[in-house]
Structures are given as C-alpha cells and as structure tokens.
Amino acid sequence: LLQCLKDDRSLGKDNWMCHLDLHETTDTDETEFRPAKAARDGIVGSEKGEIPDGFYLVQDTTSPQPDWYKAMIDSVRKVTHIAPADSEGKIIGEEITQEGVIGIPCNKSLGLCAGMTNALYRTTTEVYPDSPKATPEQCNRAQVACIEGALDHIIDTVL
C-alpha cells in the first residue's frame, strides 16, 4: 500500500475520501508487545497499561467529523459493546470527544496508520477480542459494522 500511495498519483494520499484503519488490541499487547517496546526504547519499570474492554475509535482532532463517528459507533453498538471511559473519564489516557471516541493530535505527526492519507473521513478502530463480554467473531463483525456505518453515512450525507 505504501508503495502504491507513493507511485500512483490516482491513488495518492490526497485522493482519498475515507480511510479506516482496523486494529485490535489483545492481551498479548500488555504481556509481549508493550514490554518489548519498552525494552527497545530503554524504558525500565514501565507501568502496566489498561486495555479498554470494548470497541472504540481514534479521532484525528484536526479532522473532526462528529456525525460520522456517531454513525459508526451506533452501527457497532448493534454488534458489541462500546468501551467505557475509565475512572478519569478517559480511554487509554486520552480525552473522549464523544461516546466511544478518543481524540488525538494529528495522525501524521504521530506516525499513526490513519495518517497515511489525507482523507477527510479518517479513523483508527480498536476492538478487544479477548474481552469476557465479546467473542472474536463479534469483534470481527464489529469491524464490518463500523465500515458499513462509515460508508452509509458518507453515501447518505456527502455523495
């Protein structure tokens, strides 16, 4: 994909309307990935993180689209539960912009996947297949529901 974006102007990063980057966070993120990343970065004694239980979206705050995010969350809610805020009213330490949506600075500046294009409608999904409240199949269906909600909203309101 990266080479395609670089080589083909018709598919270049400026020609996208919608970009959904589908992610899942599993228990091994906490037991394997984060410790390995901390070791790589020379961080000693890093605190254990919390994996949000449920589905949520990561919003690039430079491109707010609240109705689009609501459409996706409403679609996903029919399939699985939405991650609740923690005791500080946040998800993974980030401010919530609306139910099930956290806001972060520009995806491009942080090197996040949804920053690979300049799509007006762009987000990263997060789902937790190790949740005691959902099955991996429900999590897969939640990703599909998110895509459907995103595209239905664009078709109904933009095209």
Side-chain angles (χ1 to χ4, degrees), residues 3-138:
Q3 195 60 44
C4 180
L5 290 173
K6 289 178 185 175
D7 292 346
D8 187 341
R9 291 198 192 286
S10 68
L11 292 176
K13 67 179 184 169
D14 294 327
N15 296 325
W16 293 63
M17 177 179 285
C18 179
H19 180 168
L20 299 169
D21 187 47
L22 308 178
H23 280 216
E24 67 177 22
T25 301
T26 65
D27 288 340
T28 58
D29 280 37
E30 194 58 44
T31 60
E32 295 176 24
F33 173 74
R34 290 180 186 161
K37 183 175 183 274
R40 179 200 70 193
D41 296 342
I43 299 170
V44 178
S46 61
E47 290 184 32
K48 184 178 182 206
E50 181 179 319
I51 299 173
D53 186 359
F55 184 95
Y56 67 98
L57 296 168
V58 180
Q59 173 192 10
D60 180 336
T61 56
T62 66
S63 183
Q65 301 292 337
D67 293 339
W68 184 60
Y69 284 96
K70 182 179 183 327
M72 290 183 286
I73 292 294
D74 287 348
S75 184
V76 169
R77 185 189 330 278
K78 296 172 187 172
V79 177
T80 194
H81 61 291
I82 306 303
D86 64 18
S87 61
E88 296 178 6
K90 298 178 179 184
I91 296 176
I92 65 165
E94 300 295 335
E95 297 293 328
I96 294 174
T97 60
Q98 63 194 73
E99 182 190 13
V101 182
I102 62 170
I104 60 161
C106 179
N107 286 321
K108 286 182 208 79
S109 65
L110 295 174
L112 299 178
C113 300
M116 295 304 300
T117 70
N118 290 330
L120 179 61
Y121 296 92
R122 61 186 180 266
T123 192
T124 299
T125 69
E126 289 288 352
V127 68
Y128 181 44
D130 293 326
S131 169
K133 299 177 186 175
T135 65
E137 175 62 25
Q138 279 178 292

